[in-house]
């Protein structure tokens, strides 16, 4: 077990893996990471599944069965991904039980093409919840405006939700509002609030990528001095917003009724600029009650040479706000940055889904013809 990952867990950070494949499951690789590297949760997405299906023969038998049954590609995607996620849920079930349901979670995204359709997103969430049929599942719903209502409705029905693609502080406030609305409705319906879980995935590295490109175009010394500072400042301020929401009377009343907190989850924590330390989005975002989901390369880097030095969020709020203010002064509009990132996030989310559907349709065609 890595001493760095031990320290991270001791500080209250849940280590999740941002990757899933049937090969990882069948080989025991996931179980090894759970045992040896403090991994207590998993996130997945269409890009991850497309790569997994493309990279090996583990899916061939199920693909053949689906083709012979004449299953449409949309349903084939659900069945293939649900198979892997259900298996991962079972691997992590001991973690789920040992943590009293706090960790041991596995995330599965709704069909990306319905991100702007509230009713379709709700229907997809219900279908995935029924199909996987594991209490430690998270259904991932993007934080679009239509998605906010879907998040509240799903939580009210007792479906665990991972809210994804959160970039801005304003949108995060809306996500927190949707969480409270959903949990309030669940409570009014007499549901056991302790059985419902949620995280909100706040994206990190993409903020630096977008902001740094704008700073490079400005090119002044003041602008260049701000490179690599936006993402961490933004995430730290998100934690402040989480704390403010958790201190509200409404939150406290629901917590007294059994509600668990909707934990902030740091997503997109792989470093994209080689000029930066490869563990910075882990080292600099340590605080109690957060999740950090990492690609395996980042996980291994943290285990090997991460600099885990206690809480790196509390006490930083004024300085973090100053970073955002300085960016505005330098000519980088925060509102425009997060708008672009939200639009690009949904576009990439949809493109990844389309890639998965197209790839799987191509995989199914030869077997259908042979059948």
């Amino acid at each position: 077990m890595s001493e760095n990952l031990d320290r991270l867990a001791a500080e209250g950070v849940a280590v999740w893996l941002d990757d899933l494949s049937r090969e990882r499951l069948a080989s025991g690789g996931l179980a090894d990471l759970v045992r040896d590297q403090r991994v207590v949760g998993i996130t997945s997405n269409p890009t991850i599944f497309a790569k997994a299906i493309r990279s090996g023969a583990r899916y061939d038998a199920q693909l053949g069965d689906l083709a012979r049954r004449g299953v449409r590609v949309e349903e084939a995607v659900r069945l293939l991904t649900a198979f892997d996620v259900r298996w991962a849920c079972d691997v992590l079930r001991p973690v789920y039980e040992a943590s009293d349901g706090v960790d041991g979670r596995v995330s599965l995204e709704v069909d990306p093409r319905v991100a702007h359709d509230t009713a379709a997103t709700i229907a997809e969430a219900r279908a995935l919840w029924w199909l996987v049929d594991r209490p430690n599942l998270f259904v991932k719903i993007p934080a679009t405006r239509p998605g906010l209502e879907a998040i509240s409705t799903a939580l009210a029905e007792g479906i665990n939700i991972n809210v994804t693609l959160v970039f801005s502080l304003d949108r995060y406030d809306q996500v927190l509002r949707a969480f409270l609305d959903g949990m309030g409705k669940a409570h009014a319906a007499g549901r056991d609030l302790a059985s419902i879980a949620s995280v909100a995935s706040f994206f990190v590295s993409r903020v630096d990528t977008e902001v740094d490109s704008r700073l490079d175009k400005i090119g002044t010394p003041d602008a260049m001095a701000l490179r690599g500072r936006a993402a961490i400042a933004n995430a730290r301020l998100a934690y402040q917003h989480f704390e403010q929401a958790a201190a509200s009377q409404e939150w406290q009343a629901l917590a007294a009724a059994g509600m668990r907190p909707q934990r902030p989850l740091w997503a997109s924590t792989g470093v994209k600029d080689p000029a930066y330390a490869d563990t910075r989005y882990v080292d600099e975002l340590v605080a109690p009650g957060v999740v950090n989901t990492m690609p395996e390369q980042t996980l291994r880097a943290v285990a090997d040479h991460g600099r885990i030095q206690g809480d790196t969020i509390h006490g930083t709020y004024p300085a973090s706000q100053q970073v955002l203010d300085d960016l505005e002064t330098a000519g980088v509009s925060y509102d425009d940055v997060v708008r672009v990132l939200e639009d690009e996030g949904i576009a990439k989310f949809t493109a990844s889904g389309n890639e998965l559907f197209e790839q799987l349709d191509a995989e199914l065609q030869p077997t259908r013809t042979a059948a």
Side-chain angles (χ1 to χ4, degrees):
M1 190 76 74
S2 161
E3 186 176 331
N4 286 333
L5 295 174
D6 284 345
R7 288 198 193 106
L8 199 59
E11 292 293 338
V13 178
V15 176
W16 288 16
L17 178 70
D18 190 23
D19 188 41
L20 182 61
S21 70
R22 198 164 296 182
E23 176 62 33
R24 189 185 289 281
L25 289 159
S27 68
L30 175 59
D32 291 344
L33 289 174
V34 172
R35 184 188 65 239
D36 300 332
Q37 300 294 339
R38 285 282 188 181
V39 170
V40 294
I42 303 169
T43 50
S44 65
N45 59 52
T47 301
I48 287 171
F49 280 119
K51 179 182 177 182
I53 292 169
R54 187 170 56 243
S55 63
R58 295 282 188 184
Y59 297 88
D60 290 354
Q62 190 179 6
L63 281 167
D65 288 346
L66 292 170
R68 293 181 183 92
R69 290 170 51 210
V71 174
R72 293 180 58 187
V73 66
E74 292 83 0
E75 193 61 21
V77 168
R78 292 187 190 96
L79 292 169
L80 283 164
T81 56
F83 186 101
D84 286 3
V85 168
R86 188 184 306 112
W87 190 345
C89 282
D90 290 344
V91 171
L92 282 159
R93 187 63 175 264
V95 175
Y96 170 79
E97 293 175 349
S99 66
D100 192 27
V102 174
D103 285 308
R105 303 284 182 169
V106 185
S107 297
L108 176 60
E109 291 196 67
V110 298
D111 185 335
R113 299 171 302 178
V114 302
H116 293 291
D117 185 330
T118 300
T121 298
I122 294 168
E124 186 75 9
R126 289 169 178 156
L128 295 177
W129 183 248
W130 173 85
L131 186 60
V132 175
D133 192 28
R134 294 294 187 273
N136 49 334
L137 170 70
F138 272 132
V139 176
K140 288 176 77 173
I141 296 178
T144 59
R145 289 189 181 277
L148 295 170
E149 183 181 344
I151 290 158
S152 291
T153 299
L155 288 167
E157 294 180 8
I159 300 172
N160 302 325
I161 297 298
N162 177 345
V163 184
T164 191
L165 293 177
V166 186
F167 294 95
S168 75
L169 296 170
D170 285 346
R171 180 70 84 216
Y172 183 43
D173 287 340
Q174 294 168 3
V175 168
L176 289 164
R177 180 69 261 162
F179 168 68
L180 286 172
D181 287 347
M183 297 305 288
K185 291 173 184 175
H187 183 49
R191 294 189 182 276
D192 175 14
L193 298 189
S195 69
I196 308 170
S198 183
V199 293
S201 296
F202 202 89
F203 279 55
V204 184
S205 67
R206 293 189 198 179
V207 175
D208 273 342
T209 300
E210 178 65 24
V211 170
D212 285 358
S213 70
R214 298 183 184 210
L215 292 170
D216 289 344
K217 290 176 182 176
I218 296 169
T220 64
D222 286 347
M224 299 308 285
L226 290 167
R227 290 188 90 258
R229 299 179 64 191
I232 291 169
N234 194 41
R236 286 170 169 172
L237 290 172
Y239 191 82
Q240 182 186 35
H241 284 229
F242 161 71
E243 289 187 313
Q244 290 168 344
S248 69
Q249 289 185 352
E250 182 180 8
W251 186 298
Q252 291 298 312
L254 288 168
M259 183 186 79
R260 300 174 185 265
Q262 182 191 60
R263 289 186 292 174
L265 181 151
W266 310 131
S268 183
T269 56
V271 174
K272 296 176 174 58
D273 189 332
Y276 301 146
D278 56 0
T279 63
R280 70 194 311 261
Y281 299 126
V282 180
D283 301 341
E284 300 299 328
L285 293 174
V286 175
V290 302
V291 177
N292 196 310
T293 184
M294 314 172 204
E296 187 172 1
Q297 182 178 0
T298 302
L299 175 68
R300 300 287 186 187
V302 172
D304 180 66
H305 55 266
R307 294 172 57 84
I308 311 304
Q309 299 176 325
D311 188 329
T312 50
I313 293 182
H314 286 108
T316 68
Y317 302 149
S320 297
Q321 184 59 54
Q322 189 63 53
V323 169
L324 299 191
D325 293 344
D326 289 346
L327 285 167
E328 293 284 349
T329 301
V332 176
S333 166
Y334 177 84
D335 290 341
D336 188 63
V337 165
V338 295
R339 179 191 59 77
V340 167
L341 287 172
E342 288 175 358
D343 290 346
E344 286 183 351
I346 294 299
K348 290 176 181 177
F349 179 64
T350 304
S352 294
N354 287 334
E355 177 191 358
L356 176 58
F357 288 117
E358 291 167 7
Q359 177 186 323
L360 196 54
D361 193 45
E363 295 271 0
L364 288 167
Q365 288 302 331
T367 311
R368 284 193 184 116
T369 302

